[in-house]
């Protein structure tokens, strides 16, 4: 199965993005690829959270491979996280001079 989610680029650290789940429960989770800069982490209960500031202009999509492991083996799933752009720039006047 694959998962997908949207997140705002101005989201604070430790914002929950989505939760992956396995059957049977009790798996250990890890992000094994797609996030070399460490923008996300995954909890023992499968919650993917922000671990660093996101910037739409730098990277607007993260395709993560998530590994679930239990005593019976391993399984992978893909997670696509799309970063939504926010107006995070100061205002700039269109013209340098205006006449009244």
């Amino acid at each position: 199965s694959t998962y997908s989610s949207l997140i705002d680029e101005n989201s604070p650290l430790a914002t929950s993005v989505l939760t992956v789940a396995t059957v049977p429960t009790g798996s250990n989770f890890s992000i094994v690829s797609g996030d070399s800069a460490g923008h996300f982490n995954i909890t023992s209960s499968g919650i993917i959270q922000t671990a660093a500031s996101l910037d739409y202009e730098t990277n607007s999509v993260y395709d993560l491979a998530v590994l679930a492991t239990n005593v019976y083996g391993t399984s992978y799933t893909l997670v696509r996280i799309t970063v939504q752009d926010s107006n995070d720039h100061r205002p700039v006047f269109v013209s340098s001079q205006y006449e009244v």
Side-chain angles (χ1 to χ4, degrees), residues 6-28:
L6 302 172
I7 187 164
D8 188 83
E9 73 175 326
N10 290 334
S11 296
L13 296 181
T15 296
S16 295
V17 180
L18 63 85
T19 301
V20 296
T22 60
V23 176
T25 60
S27 296
N28 295 312

Side-chain angles (χ1 to χ4, degrees), residues 15-79:
T15 296
S16 295
V17 180
L18 63 85
T19 301
V20 296
T22 60
V23 176
T25 60
S27 296
N28 295 312
F29 299 98
S30 59
I31 297 171
V32 294
S33 70
D35 185 29
S36 59
H39 287 96
F40 301 96
N41 64 33
I42 190 165
T43 67
S44 60
S45 57
I47 301 169
I48 296 176
Q49 301 174 321
T50 57
S53 297
L54 303 174
D55 183 24
Y56 173 86
E57 287 77 18
T58 303
N59 195 354
S60 62
V61 176
Y62 293 86
D63 288 318
L64 310 180
V66 174
L67 172 69
T69 305
N70 67 16
V71 296
Y72 302 106
T74 61
S75 183
Y76 290 90
T77 192
L78 298 177
V79 176

